[in-house]
């Protein structure tokens, strides 16, 4: 009984952190570490001590974090290399986004991280075309993708 209350409180705190990350990225174009690190730590707690009812094992959580971090960092460096000599003043992918995707890899593992990224990219593309903006707050849309993937993980599969 105590473990359900404990994990329920942790899930609420993680959701609060994800909402604060989304709001901060939308308003200030920054993903604050004060919300990112607890979100990441709670994902590790779920993967390590929730094993049995949590579908992601600790091994897949760590592998998802490494995969998300490395692939996103390499993609960001590639885009920065392309846009280095252009007149674009915005960087393509910030390091906060890289850390957030690594945290999403902890929560979702390798299996569902791709679905969250595809969902975030599609919703972000639609939002960017609708609002005709050059800057797309990817952290907000990736938070939506994480929640969508978690719902899919538990209820649709």
């Amino acid at each position: 009984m105590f473990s359900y209350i404990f994990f329920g409180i942790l899930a609420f705190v993680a959701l609060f952190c994800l909402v604060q990350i989304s709001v901060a990225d939308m308003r200030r174009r920054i993903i604050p570490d004060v919300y990112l690190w607890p979100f990441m730590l709670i994902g590790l707690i779920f993967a390590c001590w929730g094993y049995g009812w949590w579908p992601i094992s600790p091994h897949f959580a760590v592998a998802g974090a490494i995969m998300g971090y490395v692939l996103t960092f390499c993609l960001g460096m590639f885009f920065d290399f392309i846009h280095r000599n252009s007149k674009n003043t915005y960087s393509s992918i910030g390091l906060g986004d890289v850390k957030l995707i690594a945290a999403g890899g902890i929560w979702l593992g390798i299996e569902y991280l791709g679905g969250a990224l595809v969902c975030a990219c599609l919703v972000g593309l639609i939002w960017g075309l609708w609002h005709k903006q050059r800057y797309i707050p990817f952290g907000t849309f990736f938070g939506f993708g994480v929640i969508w993937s978690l719902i899919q993980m538990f209820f649709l599969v």
Side-chain angles (χ1 to χ4, degrees):
M1 178 69 180
F2 175 72
S3 64
Y4 293 120
I5 295 171
F6 177 70
F7 281 112
I9 291 171
L10 284 181
F12 180 74
V13 171
L15 181 64
F16 173 77
C17 290
L18 192 59
V19 168
Q20 292 300 319
I21 287 169
S22 298
V23 169
D25 194 27
M26 186 69 84
R27 287 183 183 169
R28 297 182 284 145
R29 300 181 185 169
I30 192 167
I31 296 175
D33 286 340
V34 72
Y35 298 117
L36 184 64
W37 294 115
F39 180 69
M40 192 179 292
L41 180 65
I42 292 170
L44 281 174
I45 290 171
F46 270 60
C48 291
W49 286 290
Y51 193 65
W53 60 269
W54 187 254
I56 304 299
S57 70
H59 301 95
F60 284 118
V62 172
I66 291 170
M67 183 177 150
Y69 189 85
V70 169
L71 290 177
T72 310
F73 183 78
C74 291
L75 186 66
M77 289 296 115
F78 175 72
F79 285 140
D80 282 343
F81 177 75
I82 289 174
H83 294 293
R84 185 166 292 156
N85 293 326
S86 70
K87 296 177 183 178
N88 187 4
T89 58
Y90 300 115
S91 64
S92 58
I93 298 174
L95 290 178
D97 293 324
V98 173
K99 291 184 286 186
L100 181 62
I101 292 172
I106 290 173
W107 277 91
L108 302 172
I110 296 172
E111 299 92 357
Y112 292 96
L113 182 61
L117 286 171
V118 168
C119 177
C121 289
L122 289 176
V123 174
L125 177 68
I126 291 168
W127 184 86
L129 291 174
W130 182 267
H131 290 283
K132 297 178 182 166
Q133 291 197 357
R134 292 177 52 167
Y135 170 76
I136 297 173
F138 190 72
T140 301
F141 303 114
F142 184 70
F144 175 76
V146 167
I147 292 171
W148 178 79
S149 292
L150 284 172
I151 290 170
Q152 179 186 7
M153 186 186 322
F154 281 107
F155 297 114
L156 299 180
V157 176

